[in-house]
Amino acid sequence: MADLVLRNARIDDDTELVDIAIADGIIIVVGPNLPIHAPDEIDCAARVVIPGLIESHVHLDKALLDAERPNPDGTLAGAIAVTAELKRGFTVDSITARARRVLDMAIANGTTMIRAHPDVDPIVGLQGVEALLGLREEYRDRIDLQIVAFPQEGILQAPGTLDLLRESLCRGADVIGGCAYNEPTVADCRRHIDLVFDLAAEFAVPVDIHADFADDATDPRFAMADYIAEVTERTGMSGRVTLGHMTSLAGRDPARRQHTLANLAEAGVAVVPLPATDMHLGGRADTTNIRRGIAPIRELWAAGITTAYSSNNIRNAFTPYGNADLLDIGLFLAQTCHLSTPAELTRVLAMATTEAARITGISARYGLRPGATADLVVLSTHRVAHALLDRPDRCYVLKAGRIVARTNTINELVPASTS
């Protein structure tokens, strides 16, 4: 017996419309003209249905800080400095209030899971983790929240951080983060990485490291990807390591870049470009031919590397834009990376759905198939390849088969007067 049936849904541009039957929050059958009745039905009327969108890299604790103090020079160093100062005034309540606003935006925009990276350091302590642990419980029926213990200020250059990271994992953080470039020397960057992997082994959690976030790799602190791949293989962490940003890949010569991509693919390391932040902070010193500053998407695909994208920051010193709308970010990624064919646009959409599910470790219960959790979004477009182009409404957002958000925009063209 189904609880809800979505009728006449478009899930693939090359196949016929299907019905999606849901019971107890799980998809039980998908097929055309299902002879199943349910107390609730939604006629999708040939509109596209996709799995719930996944934000695989967001800093909820630092969101919306631009209203308090913007970045003074638009650089990464400026963003880190101004945010470090603002963090001194953080409280659990202030973090919770700002993060709650972003969670509400994300749900309305079709996101059903977020991997969040709260700062853990001697400045802010565990306040970010504590706030997100509370929000994870508060929002558990509307959105899933993974928590990454993230050492933004470094580990070695911020004494006490290692103990705080360990305490975060004891309290319930799901993932150990890293900020490989935010140490003063290459040796310290490598030691930072080693410590992160030691914690991953100690607590049996995945790794998610900010790495190689620069215009180029002339500073070797921003060329840690090969070492991370080496450590991943050595520690048997294949499929459980993710690197965020990776912008300096685009600044390497083709031979070196392909060597690094091959190492990442062989080690099973995933990459999450963050286009809104990467474009905003990159190329600040360029006066001509300003660099795009985004990891080379087509080359990541060609290498066989699992690749997602995410919002990263929302309206703060790192990224003064955003509405927690992954389709908007996906369109921006496509525009800036010369991705335009229907196949490419469909693959960009997959980066925020099926590929992000692999990165966050939920593939076994995710998707548009029987047995998957019914985390679904009904879009106002009628072609999957147009999901980014049309900037569609999220007509219905379902979390475990329950409607958690609705959007219905009415546009009416008024005919010209005939008088």
Side-chain angles (χ1 to χ4, degrees):
M1 176 65 179
D3 305 316
L4 172 67
V5 178
L6 306 185
R7 300 285 185 190
N8 305 306
R10 169 73 63 202
I11 63 172
D12 187 293
D13 288 339
D14 297 321
T15 60
E16 60 186 322
L17 301 179
V18 298
D19 299 337
I20 304 169
I22 299 164
D24 297 322
I26 303 296
I27 298 172
I28 56 172
V29 63
V30 178
N33 303 310
L34 294 179
I36 295 176
H37 298 284
D40 292 307
E41 296 193 0
I42 296 173
D43 183 5
C44 296
R47 291 174 294 187
V48 168
V49 175
I50 62 172
L53 296 164
I54 298 172
E55 286 271 20
S56 49
H57 186 131
V58 178
H59 295 271
L60 291 175
D61 59 320
K62 296 183 288 198
L64 309 176
L65 286 176
D66 230 25
E68 299 180 32
R69 190 181 307 171
N71 189 334
D73 59 10
T75 65
L76 173 60
I80 291 174
V82 73
T83 305
E85 185 59 33
L86 287 171
K87 282 195 298 187
R88 299 184 190 281
F90 280 11
T91 66
V92 171
D93 287 345
S94 71
I95 295 169
T96 299
R98 286 183 288 99
R100 189 181 281 122
R101 288 171 60 193
V102 176
L103 288 172
D104 290 345
M105 291 183 204
I107 292 166
N109 286 322
T111 295
T112 56
M113 180 179 182
I114 288 179
R115 176 179 277 190
H117 296 241
D119 284 14
V120 174
D121 55 57
I123 300 172
V124 75
L126 299 180
Q127 291 182 99
V129 170
E130 184 179 341
L132 293 189
L133 286 170
L135 289 168
R136 185 168 69 185
E137 177 61 23
E138 178 184 340
Y139 278 79
R140 64 186 177 86
D141 294 327
R142 288 169 283 171
I143 193 168
D144 294 325
L145 190 58
Q146 278 187 358
I147 300 171
V148 183
F150 173 56
Q152 171 75 81
E153 310 299 328
I155 298 176
L156 300 174
Q157 74 169 0
T161 298
L162 186 61
D163 289 339
L164 290 169
L165 292 171
R166 183 173 280 107
E167 180 62 22
S168 298
L169 294 164
C170 287
R171 292 194 186 189
D174 307 284
V175 181
I176 181 63
C179 195
Y181 51 79
N182 204 9
E183 302 287 358
T185 68
V186 170
D188 284 350
C189 290
R190 291 188 171 209
R191 179 59 180 153
H192 178 117
I193 292 163
D194 292 340
L195 290 169
V196 167
F197 276 84
D198 287 346
L199 286 171
E202 180 180 347
F203 289 91
V205 295
V207 168
D208 197 323
I209 301 180
H210 292 52
D212 298 5
F213 188 19
D215 296 321
D216 55 47
T218 54
D219 182 340
R221 294 177 304 150
F222 296 93
M224 289 288 113
D226 294 287
Y227 183 70
I228 294 169
E230 175 189 323
V231 177
T232 299
E233 289 198 288
R234 186 170 71 240
T235 57
M237 286 286 287
S238 178
R240 305 194 75 210
V241 177
T242 304
L243 304 184
H245 295 295
M246 295 300 296
T247 55
S248 69
L249 272 177
R252 298 187 185 190
D253 66 73
R256 288 182 62 214
R257 185 165 65 242
Q258 291 306 312
H259 177 77
T260 297
L261 291 171
N263 286 341
L264 292 173
E266 178 68 22
V269 176
V271 173
V272 180
L274 304 160
T277 302
D278 298 344
M279 279 286 288
H280 178 67
L281 295 179
R284 287 287 173 167
D286 295 340
T287 56
T288 59
N289 197 24
I290 298 171
R291 285 167 281 192
R292 291 175 180 266
I294 299 177
I297 301 301
R298 277 202 187 91
E299 293 180 35
L300 289 163
W301 288 348
I305 294 169
T306 302
T307 308
Y309 68 84
S310 197
S311 294
N312 188 42
N313 282 287
I314 296 168
R315 303 188 194 185
N316 66 12
F318 296 87
T319 318
Y321 318 112
N323 297 298
D325 186 341
L326 271 169
L327 296 187
D328 191 43
I329 296 292
L331 181 59
F332 181 69
L333 178 73
Q335 291 168 328
T336 52
C337 293
H338 301 144
L339 304 170
S340 59
T341 68
E344 288 170 341
L345 294 175
T346 300
R347 188 159 185 180
V348 171
L349 179 64
M351 291 169 71
T353 54
T354 53
E355 295 303 283
R358 291 177 63 188
I359 285 171
T360 55
I362 66 166
S363 290
R365 63 179 191 273
Y366 179 87
L368 283 166
R369 56 179 176 76
T373 303
D375 292 351
L376 305 171
V377 186
V378 181
L379 304 175
S380 63
T381 187
H382 292 84
R383 286 186 57 79
V384 176
H386 293 173
L388 303 179
L389 296 174
D390 286 348
R391 289 188 164 96
D393 287 344
R394 299 341 105 93
C395 302
Y396 297 91
V397 181
L398 278 66
K399 180 63 185 163
R402 186 178 71 87
I403 297 171
V404 294
R406 283 188 291 260
T407 301
N408 291 290
T409 302
I410 297 175
N411 291 317
E412 182 180 1
L413 295 178
V414 179
S417 172
T418 57
S419 57

